[in-house]
């Protein structure tokens, strides 16, 4: 059975047929999957708004059943649209590959069609599994498949994009000369213009978005603008506090990294400064990540890919603008500090690492949960290196393990001291407030810790569930699964990930709780990408090392972009452009009538007055003599009683904010119950705001 090998330049009709089949069958597979997803409104809204869903169904000749909120979309019109897209991208992509790589057009069509469009068959596997689960009555599996459908589509898009990028930029583009490799090892790695450009784009974009949210009165005071109030109150002798707090902020968290902004704040006392600094801090985390990736992989292209993946990593972006539009949080400033610390640890610059880890702890006590296992990792790495050291002067085991073990012990002692003694001391003996986040494990800190450590059945039941699996996917899929290729580093994140899954407030990386885990995952991904050749060698795979690493490099940033398409609130996300979405750019980033009318309110409130206001206008009054929260929450500043503090001069009600329950003056308890104490200021804002002024005692 002698076979002749087809020369690379010769047209291979069989492979071209496979390529054509991939294009046709891939289009059909995606069509079937889209039909399934859009057939139910609850599943469709994972991707698009209800309004856009209705428009898509109608435009694709479908019908909607109003009673069940289900839809029926014919196969062939939708298949026709997808065929137009697939054939067009096949043709354009093949033309570009042919021109850039100098190959024949037929070869480009064959390679791009076969290697790229077979990724379009992945939704067919998802659909087959879903149908099987439905037929067999495995409702839990079917629900899990539906809930994770975004990740299946993300992998499809990422694999397709990465294949094209790999064909356009061949492996030879990544090779470095021996001299340049040695320079990377011995000299400080310079950040290339391309990386700086990506960092600059991130800072510009997210600063602009944050500032526009502020101008549009969409940033809440609680857990966001309150941190700017900390700086204002410190510079004006009121202490490290917001008037939301039960006292000094130390009773909430041991978190004071934002106080380092005080010198800049003296020059520009504005919340906008904090937003700029947060976006900048998150972005510069790409610098140590680039250096670690280049140092471990010996490739500047891999370093750039990691920068792109990091900046497009949607869990990172949610640290800048959370799903509830809470923006500035000091915990985010710990991300770059920890990344720089990890870079120092990789280079064994221990003094720098200690200073950077200390800085990281000032971002929040949560980072101690990372430092504990990080110390164990350091001890393990030092032990492994000592075993490979054949010199006669190598240090003893105790000296090798001491630094890492000491860090772990310090982290445990520090965290215990903070949550058991320090924070309660500032709360007049009350336990830390976030014990309530783990109510299934007990009502006190001791009960929660005891049940987590010594009640395995309860712990197992809470951890082993679909939410944990989905949470894990949300963290590693955007990084192209690369953290799995550096398992020892990935394990550093395991304890905190477990606690995040037990947290009853949030089970996804769209708030701020996951901030300490982001640097660890990106660190593991950067090193994991450099471990690809070693993995192939150990597993005795027949895959070419250079080709595999090329694809993995592109798959990294493509995964970040593809998952961002379904999860990001920024311009790479569908919701940013979906006019029916709550996160549509015109709704969030173009200040509306409410913000315009508020400009009439500010001149009416003297700076020396004490103001109680609703959440979204509260940030505008933090520079007044006092700024109290007007809500149903009972605050320490009013002795935990309803109403406003007795020294309140003005009450400002925002009748149009997202959670407003008061629409008219007669709904305000203070005005309704004590009209002789409050004067209603004539409305100049077309009903957008209600202003009450306390009457003077002489009147």
């Amino acid at each position: 059975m002698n076979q002749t090998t087809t020369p690379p330049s010769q047209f291979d009709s069989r492979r071209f047929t496979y390529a054509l089949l991939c294009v046709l069958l891939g289009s059909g597979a995606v069509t079937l999957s889209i039909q399934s997803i859009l057939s139910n409104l609850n599943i469709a809204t994972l991707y698009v708004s209800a309004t856009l869903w209705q428009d898509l169904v109608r435009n694709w000749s479908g019908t909607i059943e109003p009673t069940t909120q289900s839809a029926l979309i014919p196969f062939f019109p939708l298949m026709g649209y997808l065929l137009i897209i697939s054939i067009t991208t096949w043709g354009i992509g093949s033309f570009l590959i042919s021109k850039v790589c100098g190959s024949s057009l037929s070869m480009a069509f064959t390679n791009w069609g076969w290697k790229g469009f077979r990724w379009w068959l992945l939704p067919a596997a998802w659909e087959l599994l879903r149908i099987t689960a439905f037929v067999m009555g495995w409702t839990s599996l079917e629900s899990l498949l539906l809930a994770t459908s975004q990740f299946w589509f993300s992998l499809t898009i990422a694999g397709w994009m990465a294949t094209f990028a790999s064909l356009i930029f061949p492996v030879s583009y990544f090779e470095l000369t021996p001299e340049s490799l040695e320079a990377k090892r011995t000299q400080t790695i310079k950040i290339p213009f391309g990386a700086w450009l990506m960092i600059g784009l991130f800072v510009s974009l997210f600063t602009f978005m944050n500032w526009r949210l502020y101008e549009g009165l969409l940033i809440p005071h609680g857990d966001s603008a309150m941190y700017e109030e900390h700086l204002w109150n410190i510079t004006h002798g009121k202490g490290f506090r917001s008037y939301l707090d039960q006292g000094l902020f130390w009773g909430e968290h041991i978190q004071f990294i934002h106080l380092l902004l005080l010198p800049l704040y003296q020059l520009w006392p504005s919340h906008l400064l904090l937003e700029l600094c947060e976006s900048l801090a998150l972005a510069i985390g790409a610098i140590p990540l680039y250096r670690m990736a280049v140092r471990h992989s010996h490739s500047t292209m891999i370093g750039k890919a990691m920068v792109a993946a990091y900046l497009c990593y949607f869990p990172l972006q949610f640290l800048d603008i959370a799903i509830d539009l809470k923006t500035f949080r000091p915990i985010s400033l710990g991300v770059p500090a920890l990344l720089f610390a990890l870079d120092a640890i990789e280079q064994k610059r221990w003094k720098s690492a200690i200073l950077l880890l200390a800085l990281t702890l000032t971002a929040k006590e949560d980072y101690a949960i990372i430092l504990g296992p990080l110390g164990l990792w350091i001890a393990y790495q030092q032990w492994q290196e000592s075993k490979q050291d054949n010199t006669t002067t190598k240090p003893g085991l105790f000296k090798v393990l001491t630094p890492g073990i000491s860090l772990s012990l310090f982290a445990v002692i520090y965290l215990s001291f903070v949550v058991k003694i320090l924070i309660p001391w500032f709360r007049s003996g009350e336990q830390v407030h976030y014990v309530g986040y783990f109510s299934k494990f007990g009502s006190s800190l001791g009960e929660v810790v005891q049940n987590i450590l010594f009640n395995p059945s309860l712990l197992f039941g809470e951890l082993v569930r679909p939410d944990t699996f989905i949470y894990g996917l949300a963290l590693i899929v955007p990084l192209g699964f690369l953290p799995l290729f550096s398992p020892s580093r990935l394990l550093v994140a395991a304890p905190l990930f477990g606690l995040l899954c037990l947290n009853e407030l949030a089970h996804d990386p769209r708030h701020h709780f996951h901030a300490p885990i982001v640097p660890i995952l990106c660190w593991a991904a950067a090193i994991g990408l450099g471990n690809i050749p070693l993995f192939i060698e150990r597993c005795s795979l027949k895959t070419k090392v250079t080709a595999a690493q090329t694809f993995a490099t592109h798959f990294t940033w493509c995964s970040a972009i593809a998952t961002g398409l379904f999860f990001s609130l920024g311009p790479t996300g569908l919701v940013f452009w979906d006019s029916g979405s709550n996160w549509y750019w015109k709704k969030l980033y173009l200040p509306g009538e409410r913000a315009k009318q508020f400009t009439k309110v500010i001149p009416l409130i003297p700076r020396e007055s004490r103001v109680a206001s609703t959440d979204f206008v509260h940030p505008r009054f933090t520079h007044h003599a006092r700024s109290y929260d007007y809500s149903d929450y009972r605050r320490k500043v009013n002795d935990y009683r309803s109403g406003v503090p007795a020294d309140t001069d003005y009450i400002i009600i925002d009748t149009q904010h997202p959670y407003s329950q008061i629409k008219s003056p007669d709904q305000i308890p203070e005005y309704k119950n004590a009209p002789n104490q409050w004067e209603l200021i004539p409305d100049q804002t077309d009903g957008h705001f209600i202003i009450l002024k306390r009457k003077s005692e002489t009147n």
Side-chain angles (χ1 to χ4, degrees):
M1 296 179 64
N2 297 326
Q3 295 181 351
T4 59
T5 303
T6 304
S9 60
Q10 183 176 332
F11 178 70
D12 189 335
S13 59
R14 184 177 62 179
R15 289 197 67 198
F16 181 82
T17 302
Y18 291 157
L20 180 61
L21 285 175
C22 284
V23 173
L24 298 178
L25 295 177
S27 300
V30 175
T31 301
L32 289 172
S33 300
I34 293 177
Q35 275 187 308
S36 298
I37 289 167
L38 296 185
S39 65
N40 185 280
L41 177 61
N42 292 330
I43 303 302
T45 49
L46 293 175
Y47 297 83
V48 297
S49 65
T51 303
L52 182 56
W53 172 72
Q54 294 174 354
D55 293 340
L56 289 174
V57 171
R58 294 191 181 101
N59 291 336
W60 292 340
S61 305
T63 57
I64 297 175
E65 176 55 49
T67 56
T68 60
Q69 290 294 290
S70 59
L72 180 62
I73 302 175
F75 178 82
F76 287 104
L78 180 57
M79 174 69 172
Y81 295 136
L82 284 169
L83 274 176
I84 292 174
I85 294 173
S86 61
I87 292 174
T88 301
T89 54
W90 188 25
I92 294 175
S94 300
F95 175 79
L96 292 175
I97 293 168
S98 174
K99 290 298 181 182
V100 172
C101 299
S103 61
S104 66
L105 188 60
S106 61
M107 183 62 65
F109 265 103
T110 300
N111 287 336
W112 174 222
W114 165 242
K115 295 180 179 179
F117 283 85
R118 60 186 175 185
W119 283 95
W120 285 38
L121 299 174
L122 188 59
W126 174 83
E127 180 69 5
L128 183 62
L129 288 172
R130 188 196 66 81
I131 293 174
T132 302
F134 174 76
V135 171
M136 299 299 293
W138 299 335
T139 55
S140 296
L141 177 59
E142 184 185 13
S143 298
L144 180 62
L145 288 168
L146 290 171
T148 58
S149 60
Q150 294 153 299
F151 298 112
W152 289 79
F153 273 97
S154 296
L155 292 175
T156 298
I157 296 170
W160 181 61
M161 291 172 56
T163 301
F164 177 73
S166 298
L167 292 171
I168 285 286
F169 302 108
V171 173
S172 59
Y173 284 18
F174 299 97
E175 294 177 356
L176 296 173
T177 63
E179 293 78 10
S180 60
L181 282 177
E182 186 61 28
K184 297 297 179 186
R185 295 189 187 101
T186 59
Q187 300 176 5
T188 300
I189 297 174
K190 295 182 179 180
I191 308 302
F193 174 76
W196 284 119
L197 180 61
M198 288 185 279
I199 290 171
L201 287 174
F202 180 94
V203 174
S204 301
L205 176 62
F206 276 87
T207 298
F208 172 79
M209 292 166 63
N210 279 303
W211 285 5
R212 297 298 279 178
L213 288 173
Y214 183 80
E215 293 170 8
L217 300 179
L218 295 176
I219 293 179
H221 176 267
D223 294 330
S224 195
M226 59 178 275
Y227 297 106
E228 187 267 336
E229 187 181 3
H230 289 169
L231 303 188
W232 178 266
N233 286 344
I234 284 178
T235 56
H236 289 77
K238 302 177 186 179
F240 184 33
R241 62 170 299 172
S242 158
Y243 289 100
L244 291 179
D245 303 329
Q246 39 70 44
L248 294 178
F249 185 64
W250 305 115
E252 302 296 324
H253 298 288
I254 305 303
Q255 181 181 55
F256 54 95
I257 194 172
H258 53 304
L259 300 187
L260 299 177
L261 301 177
L262 278 171
L264 293 175
Y265 188 77
Q266 295 280 13
L267 301 175
W268 184 20
S270 171
H271 179 74
L272 300 180
L273 171 67
L274 274 66
E275 300 292 2
L276 170 62
C277 291
E278 181 185 52
S279 297
L280 179 61
L282 288 172
I284 64 173
I287 294 175
L289 197 61
Y290 173 85
R291 289 173 175 162
M292 288 187 284
V294 171
R295 192 180 301 114
H296 195 72
S297 65
H298 314 304
S299 168
T300 57
M301 182 62 77
I302 286 179
K304 294 175 186 177
M306 280 308 308
V307 170
Y310 170 78
L311 296 174
C312 294
Y313 187 45
F314 80 83
L316 175 86
Q317 295 180 0
F318 275 115
L319 296 179
D320 207 332
I321 301 177
I323 192 67
D324 51 8
L325 301 184
K326 293 179 179 179
T327 52
F328 181 83
R329 286 182 182 268
I331 193 173
S332 299
L333 303 181
V335 171
L338 183 53
L339 281 168
F340 276 102
L342 294 171
D343 187 26
I345 290 170
E346 289 283 353
Q347 298 179 77
K348 295 182 172 54
R349 294 187 289 110
W350 301 116
K351 292 181 180 179
S352 298
I354 290 172
L355 292 175
L356 289 164
L357 290 175
L359 177 64
T360 302
L361 279 179
T362 67
K364 202 177 181 183
E365 64 273 8
D366 296 29
Y367 281 94
I369 306 173
I370 288 292
L371 299 194
L374 178 61
L376 296 179
W377 179 86
I378 293 172
Y380 173 75
Q381 289 295 111
Q382 294 290 93
W383 176 59
Q384 289 289 95
E385 291 178 10
S386 70
K387 289 199 305 181
Q388 298 173 5
D389 186 0
N390 296 322
T391 62
T392 58
T393 59
K394 66 178 182 180
L397 183 61
F398 178 80
K399 188 175 182 180
V400 167
L401 298 181
T402 295
I405 298 299
S406 298
L407 177 61
S408 294
L409 291 176
F410 168 78
V412 173
I413 294 171
Y414 174 82
L415 185 62
S416 301
F417 174 73
V418 164
V419 300
K420 188 67 177 177
I421 299 174
L422 191 56
I423 293 179
W425 190 82
F426 284 102
R427 296 175 66 87
S428 301
E430 295 181 13
Q431 66 181 2
V432 290
H433 67 280
Y434 40 82
V435 168
Y437 301 170
F438 306 92
S439 60
K440 293 181 180 179
F441 290 86
S443 57
S444 68
L445 179 62
E447 290 179 356
V448 170
V449 173
Q450 182 177 358
N451 281 317
I452 288 177
L453 295 178
F454 304 111
N455 192 337
S457 60
L458 178 60
L459 180 64
F460 186 82
E462 291 299 314
L463 281 180
V464 183
R465 54 181 182 169
D467 283 355
T468 301
F469 178 67
I470 296 172
Y471 201 162
L473 289 179
L475 291 171
I476 65 170
V477 171
L479 294 172
F481 296 102
L482 284 177
L484 299 176
F485 290 91
S486 182
S488 66
R489 291 170 177 83
L490 180 59
L491 283 174
V492 173
L496 181 57
F497 177 69
L499 286 177
L500 290 173
C501 295
L502 300 178
N503 186 338
E504 297 168 16
L505 288 187
H507 291 109
D508 57 69
R510 297 187 298 170
H511 295 272
H512 70 284
F513 302 104
H514 65 287
I517 213 172
V518 166
I520 302 301
L521 294 175
C522 293
W523 172 48
I527 305 303
L529 188 50
N531 287 343
I532 296 292
L534 182 61
F535 174 80
I536 293 175
E537 181 182 343
R538 285 180 176 177
C539 296
S540 301
L541 300 178
K542 296 181 179 180
T543 306
K544 293 182 179 179
V545 171
T546 51
Q549 188 149 20
T550 299
F551 178 80
T553 299
H554 290 301
F555 189 67
T556 305
W557 61 267
C558 289
S559 295
I561 291 176
T563 50
L565 184 67
F566 303 115
F567 294 100
S568 175
L569 299 186
T572 58
L574 290 174
V575 296
F576 187 86
W577 308 101
D578 184 350
S579 60
S581 165
N582 292 330
W583 297 277
Y584 180 45
W585 69 272
K586 286 187 178 181
K587 293 180 182 178
L588 297 185
Y589 308 111
L590 292 181
E593 184 64 21
R594 174 169 155 265
K596 178 182 177 181
Q597 292 294 339
F598 184 72
T599 59
K600 303 174 183 178
V601 174
I602 289 293
L604 303 177
I605 315 300
R607 288 289 292 269
E608 65 274 9
S609 59
R610 304 183 178 214
V611 184
S613 56
T614 49
D615 197 20
F616 290 87
V617 295
H618 192 164
R620 296 301 200 275
F621 299 106
T622 55
H623 294 189
H624 286 63
R626 290 285 189 277
S627 58
Y628 300 133
D629 172 52
Y630 190 92
S631 68
D632 293 332
Y633 290 100
R634 302 192 177 194
R635 306 289 185 184
K636 174 64 182 271
V637 74
N638 197 37
D639 296 326
Y640 297 109
R641 295 177 300 179
S642 60
V644 298
D647 62 350
T648 303
D649 299 315
Y650 287 86
I651 296 176
I652 315 295
I653 305 297
D654 178 0
T655 64
Q656 305 297 318
H657 76 79
Y659 311 109
S660 175
Q661 296 180 347
I662 296 177
K663 303 297 182 182
S664 61
D666 60 339
Q667 295 177 298
I668 304 175
E670 288 79 6
Y671 187 66
K672 180 179 179 180
N673 299 330
N676 59 318
Q677 296 182 19
W678 296 95
E679 173 189 353
L680 178 64
I681 303 299
D683 180 29
Q684 304 176 19
T685 65
D686 294 334
H688 284 79
F689 299 94
I690 302 171
I691 306 175
L692 296 181
K693 178 182 179 181
R694 188 181 293 276
K695 295 179 180 179
S696 62
E697 294 183 2
T698 56
N699 293 333

